[in-house]
Amino acid sequence: MKMNGIQASLLGLLICVVALRTSSAQTVKPGMCPPERFFESSFLTITRECENDNKCTGNKKCCEDNGYSICKPPAEERAGTCPENPNKTTERRVDFCTSDSECAPGSKCCLKDGGKTCLPSVGEKKGSCGKQPYCLIAERPYCNGDTGCSGDEKCCQPVCTQKCMKPL
């Protein structure tokens, strides 16, 4: 079968469209983007470092963050706790992180002076909680790790909930 010029052009165009769609196929990397950071004011510039996860190196994902599209490591909660925060201000300030994954190894994303920032992780507090019971119906927890407990108290599970207690 012979093709005329129009048919050949249409076939060429179709091949180009298929090639473009195949090369721009998006793969979604595993994990979730960290929450957006809090800023005291909005910035006018809208920056796009990426359009999708394919544009980000390694395991990083393309995440929206206050008008910006930037490559960030997926959200992750690391072991350890944040250091004590003596200045318990209610005034909200700029966040420099929103997930431990945005911090260097050995650091956690912690609330300090009204905003979140990366701080060296403090290991688990001394002492133990004792044996944890088996629960059929879990109750609402009052803490999530030793970070949320004051002084030397640990986040323990004495019954079917977690709460701050003096360690054993």
Side-chain angles (χ1 to χ4, degrees):
M1 178 166 119
K2 233 178 183 182
M3 282 195 273
N4 65 27
I6 294 174
Q7 290 172 325
S9 296
L10 286 174
L11 180 62
L13 183 61
L14 179 64
I15 290 170
C16 287
V17 168
V18 169
L20 276 173
R21 289 197 59 119
T22 305
S23 68
S24 65
Q26 297 180 20
T27 56
V28 177
K29 294 180 183 177
M32 301 286 294
C33 284
E36 291 192 37
R37 298 173 186 195
F38 175 81
F39 288 106
E40 293 173 296
S41 63
S42 60
F43 297 97
L44 297 176
T45 309
I46 295 186
T47 303
R48 295 198 79 72
E49 178 180 294
C50 54
E51 289 91 39
N52 57 55
D53 290 355
N54 290 345
K55 304 291 182 186
C56 300
T57 60
N59 71 334
K60 291 183 179 178
K61 298 183 65 62
C62 186
C63 303
E64 292 296 318
D65 198 344
N66 293 286
Y68 293 81
S69 290
I70 57 176
C71 295
K72 290 183 172 187
E76 170 192 8
E77 179 72 26
R78 294 185 183 147
T81 59
C82 290
E84 190 73 27
N85 183 11
N87 183 9
K88 304 230 192 285
T89 181
T90 56
E91 184 181 338
R92 194 69 172 97
R93 301 223 172 103
V94 173
D95 289 334
F96 294 100
C97 62
T98 56
S99 171
D100 292 347
S101 62
E102 297 177 88
C103 300
S107 297
K108 289 190 67 68
C109 184
C110 305
L111 190 61
K112 181 181 180 191
D113 299 331
K116 291 183 177 183
T117 191
C118 295
L119 296 173
S121 177
V122 176
E124 289 291 312
K125 293 182 181 178
K126 293 180 183 175
S128 80
C129 292
K131 188 175 178 182
Q132 295 184 352
Y134 177 76
C135 293
L136 291 175
I137 301 173
E139 297 175 28
R140 176 187 167 293
Y142 294 94
C143 58
N144 182 19
D146 294 348
T147 303
C149 301
S150 61
D152 62 347
E153 290 185 329
K154 291 183 65 67
C155 184
C156 298
Q157 187 177 346
V159 287
C160 294
T161 186
Q162 291 177 286
K163 64 181 183 177
C164 295
M165 302 175 58
K166 289 282 184 192
L168 301 176

